[in-house]
Amino acid sequence: MSETYSYLGPSGTFTEAALAQVPEAAGKPWRSVNNVGEALDDVVSGRSVAAMIAIENSIEGGVSATQDALASIPGLRIVGEYLVHVQFVLVARPGTRLEDVRVVNAHPVAYAQTRTWLDTHLPTHGHIPATSNVAAALNLLENDLADAAVAPPQIVQHHDFEVLASGIADNAHAVTRFVLVSRGGAMPGPTGADKTSIIAELPEDRSGALLELLEQFSTRGVNLSLLQSRPIGDALGRYRFVIDADGHITDERVADALLGVRRFSPKIVFLGSYPRADKAQVQYVPRYDNEVFIEARDWLRGLITGEPE
């Protein structure tokens, strides 16, 4: 069985920094890939035991390519999440000055997160999209289409670049959330600080349908930390919803909520239950304790079997 871990490369990306947080990956082979699809294909085919992919950013929201891939590729499980503080620098070939910059290479997400700084200091600049933050910088070494690149600070540890400006992110508190994805199987056990992710479709496009979906969680005291719609693609007005719920599938309240969603939704994709990166204990009111659900089931069983009350 492969022990390789895949990540969006090349070396020096934020995804690599996220993978460095995984104890099980230390000392194992790491495979650099070009996109989310390739990373997940590595997992499905068995070339890799797991893949690290970005799923959410505190500024831009959910990563649509990742959400859509997880919705369409069966048999995958999220087994962990990791947070990386996002910072950017503007780099160029040695000898380049800031006033020389006319065109900038940048990954679209990085460009969106540095747009205010770029528009302020380089008001007439052009933008060439790159496949990753590191690739944006490496493109400077391969051609002269751009004069500078938005890249992670650690890029200068791997390549000889001139840093024209540091701390150019529009939000100094930006964080990207990454998930480690493997093939289906045993999932991490509950820790009390867990998250459960699913993707669910509405049965039909009608008034109140989304409310009915959300009520499956609210009536069981389950908080949602992420709710994002993505078009299914077969018709206008047809959406699936990416949902992160606080808690583990073995928690009675979460399990009961998922059963409700299962009865309601024509298609539900279970992505996994896994420890929260921030290790924050899930809070809920006492009436949703496991024991309350268990007692209620015992009470109903007693009624059915005729046990004395």
Side-chain angles (χ1 to χ4, degrees):
M1 179 177 177
S2 173
E3 294 186 329
T4 300
Y5 288 78
S6 295
Y7 72 98
L8 180 63
S11 182
T13 60
F14 293 118
T15 313
E16 185 185 48
L19 185 55
Q21 299 180 35
V22 180
E24 297 81 5
K28 303 295 176 57
W30 293 8
R31 171 175 152 81
S32 170
V33 300
N34 295 315
N35 53 59
V36 170
E38 185 179 356
L40 296 181
D41 184 65
D42 280 355
V43 175
V44 172
S45 66
R47 281 191 297 270
S48 295
V49 65
M52 184 67 74
I53 54 177
I55 196 168
E56 184 184 5
N57 182 271
S58 61
I59 306 300
E60 294 296 300
V63 179
S64 57
T66 296
Q67 295 172 339
D68 292 345
L70 291 174
S72 59
I73 302 175
L76 296 176
R77 290 287 185 271
I78 297 174
V79 295
E81 73 168 1
Y82 306 86
L83 304 179
V84 175
H85 182 62
V86 176
Q87 297 176 316
F88 294 105
V89 295
L90 187 69
V91 299
R93 291 176 287 268
T96 304
R97 301 171 303 170
L98 184 61
E99 52 266 34
D100 298 328
V101 176
R102 298 291 180 270
V103 178
V104 176
N105 280 332
H107 185 276
V109 174
Y111 185 66
Q113 294 183 50
T114 57
R115 185 65 183 270
T116 299
W117 189 96
L118 292 171
D119 286 346
T120 300
H121 295 85
L122 301 169
T124 62
H125 76 278
H127 169 226
I128 297 178
T131 57
S132 76
N133 294 310
V134 171
L138 296 184
N139 287 340
L140 297 176
L141 305 178
E142 298 175 358
N143 58 64
D144 58 0
L145 298 178
D147 309 298
V150 175
Q154 56 266 32
I155 189 68
V156 296
Q157 300 173 11
H158 302 276
H159 302 279
D160 182 23
F161 286 114
E162 190 95 20
V163 177
L164 303 183
S166 300
I168 67 172
D170 299 334
N171 189 320
H173 306 291
V175 174
T176 295
R177 172 181 164 232
F178 294 84
V179 291
L180 187 66
V181 179
S182 69
R183 290 182 293 279
M187 72 181 71
T191 67
D194 305 293
K195 187 177 291 185
T196 294
S197 297
I198 67 169
I199 299 176
E201 296 181 9
L202 297 181
E204 54 190 333
D205 182 22
R206 59 173 172 79
S207 175
L210 177 57
L211 176 60
E212 290 180 31
L213 172 63
L214 299 181
E215 283 178 339
Q216 306 305 318
F217 298 95
S218 64
T219 57
R220 281 115 173 149
V222 178
N223 181 59
L224 303 184
S225 57
L226 175 70
L227 174 66
Q228 185 158 0
S229 64
R230 292 294 305 153
I232 295 175
D234 56 359
L236 285 173
R238 291 263 293 141
Y239 289 89
R240 59 173 64 100
F241 289 85
V242 183
I243 298 172
D244 286 345
D246 288 350
H248 194 276
I249 191 174
T250 58
D251 296 332
E252 293 285 343
R253 63 189 182 281
V254 176
D256 205 49
L258 293 186
L259 289 175
V261 175
R262 175 63 177 167
R263 292 190 294 267
F264 169 82
S265 173
K267 182 179 181 182
I268 174 172
V269 178
F270 175 71
L271 295 178
S273 291
Y274 48 90
R276 294 170 59 101
D278 59 12
K279 297 180 172 57
Q281 293 290 305
V282 175
Q283 303 295 320
Y284 57 93
V285 296
R287 68 175 178 273
Y288 299 115
D289 280 336
N290 284 348
E291 291 74 15
V292 175
F293 283 86
I294 294 172
E295 189 279 332
R297 282 202 304 272
D298 289 343
W299 171 79
L300 180 61
R301 188 180 303 113
L303 294 178
I304 295 172
T305 58
E307 296 176 9
E309 296 185 40

